[in-house]
Amino acid sequence: MCPDDITSVEALNRFKTLFPSTKLVIFIQNPVVLFQEMYNDLAYHKHPNKLPSPNELVGSCANKRCGGYTRGCGDTESICTDRMKLHHQLSHFGKTPMSVDEKKLLRVDVRTIPTRNEILLFEHQQVFGEKAFSQNATKDLSTFLRLKHSLPEVHHAIRPQELYQEKQKRTHFINICDDEHKKARDILLRIAHEASIWICDYFINSTDVTVSSREVFTDLVEEWRSDPCVDGFLS
């Protein structure tokens, strides 16, 4: 399943019909950090072409396609602040009652496709962060999938300097903490805050949703409500 399928009503309808019992494993990440990582990945692969500045990518991805570079599931990659609204994407699964308070956090009437699929949710740092709890993660994954054998421990993520080895192609990398990106960062901080509340208060309370090491997961997602630039997570 392509990650972008979560945002497509048509794709979710097909998935619901063809794979009604398939279990889903989903990783989520702080939207501020995710935006920077996606931007820099695209900037690296589109070099020497320069992307629009983060402040120009505020709002919908419509008419903001960076073009010319195909990634992932075969679509031309695009990036914008709206794409970081992970709570919007997760809400499409129809796992929550869509109360008035929920809709205030989502800010729009999201069209849901209620599914029976069980979901296992990880916060990115649980597996790939400096404080990775990869041993617990693999145990939780094995239990969720009802495997009869143990899974190997997950390796930590490759660091950016290892992944992006050609220095020249890193010319247009950004640090979202820089003052020049404040407009975009402020929007992303609001998105991260609202996503954190919705995920912790609504989504993970669904009987169809399991989280790995619930207390650790909740602590990590609640950290989204703080500015990672101030906290030193991004620098």
Side-chain angles (χ1 to χ4, degrees):
M1 186 178 188
C2 172
D4 281 347
D5 285 347
I6 297 177
T7 65
S8 167
V9 172
E10 293 76 14
L12 281 177
N13 267 320
R14 288 196 301 271
F15 191 81
K16 177 181 179 180
T17 301
L18 298 173
F19 308 104
S21 301
T22 299
K23 294 188 173 187
L24 303 177
V25 180
I26 298 176
F27 293 82
I28 58 174
Q29 187 175 17
N30 185 320
V32 183
V33 181
L34 180 60
F35 182 93
Q36 175 175 293
E37 291 189 356
M38 289 183 65
Y39 186 100
N40 288 344
D41 180 75
L42 193 55
Y44 184 87
H45 288 95
K46 279 187 62 63
H47 184 273
N49 297 321
K50 189 174 182 179
L51 304 183
S53 73
N55 292 339
E56 295 177 86
L57 299 174
V58 168
S60 169
C61 286
N63 301 319
K64 291 188 175 69
R65 287 198 171 273
C66 299
Y69 176 60
T70 301
R71 293 281 281 166
C73 300
D75 295 324
T76 302
E77 189 69 86
S78 62
I79 183 171
C80 62
T81 56
D82 276 7
R83 195 176 182 196
M84 304 301 113
K85 294 179 178 178
L86 307 182
H87 50 323
H88 285 201
Q89 298 166 25
L90 293 172
S91 69
H92 290 156
F93 286 110
K95 301 297 186 185
T96 64
M98 281 297 156
S99 65
V100 173
D101 288 338
E102 275 189 83
K103 290 180 178 179
K104 287 180 181 178
L105 290 170
L106 294 168
R107 293 178 179 263
V108 294
D109 286 326
V110 177
R111 183 178 174 185
T112 62
I113 307 295
T115 64
R116 300 196 307 272
N117 304 86
E118 294 179 50
I119 294 173
L120 174 61
L121 199 61
F122 290 95
E123 208 280 348
H124 187 267
Q125 292 184 73
Q126 287 182 275
V127 179
F128 302 115
E130 294 293 335
K131 304 175 184 177
F133 301 88
S134 56
Q135 188 173 8
N136 288 339
T138 52
K139 287 180 180 178
D140 290 339
L141 179 58
S142 181
T143 299
F144 177 71
L145 297 175
R146 296 188 177 90
L147 300 180
K148 296 181 179 179
H149 59 277
S150 300
L151 293 171
E153 187 171 336
V154 178
H155 295 293
H156 295 340
I158 299 174
R159 295 179 180 277
Q161 56 266 36
E162 299 174 88
L163 186 61
Y164 306 115
Q165 295 185 3
E166 297 182 51
K167 184 177 180 180
Q168 185 64 27
K169 290 187 176 183
R170 301 198 302 267
T171 304
H172 301 309
F173 275 20
I174 63 160
N175 183 335
I176 197 65
C177 299
D178 291 345
D179 289 342
E180 63 184 299
H181 308 312
K182 185 178 186 303
K183 177 183 175 182
R185 186 172 70 253
D186 286 348
I187 297 295
L188 291 166
L189 286 169
R190 190 201 73 204
I191 290 171
H193 187 272
E194 293 174 349
S196 171
I197 295 173
W198 183 84
I199 290 167
C200 291
D201 290 358
Y202 298 100
F203 191 66
I204 65 173
N205 291 320
S206 167
T207 55
D208 288 340
V209 177
T210 301
V211 296
S212 178
S213 303
R214 191 180 184 95
E215 185 175 345
V216 173
F217 173 90
T218 302
D219 286 345
L220 289 171
V221 175
E222 286 181 348
E223 287 178 5
W224 297 6
R225 303 174 199 182
S226 301
D227 187 342
C229 298
V230 173
D231 292 347
F233 186 82
L234 284 174
S235 58

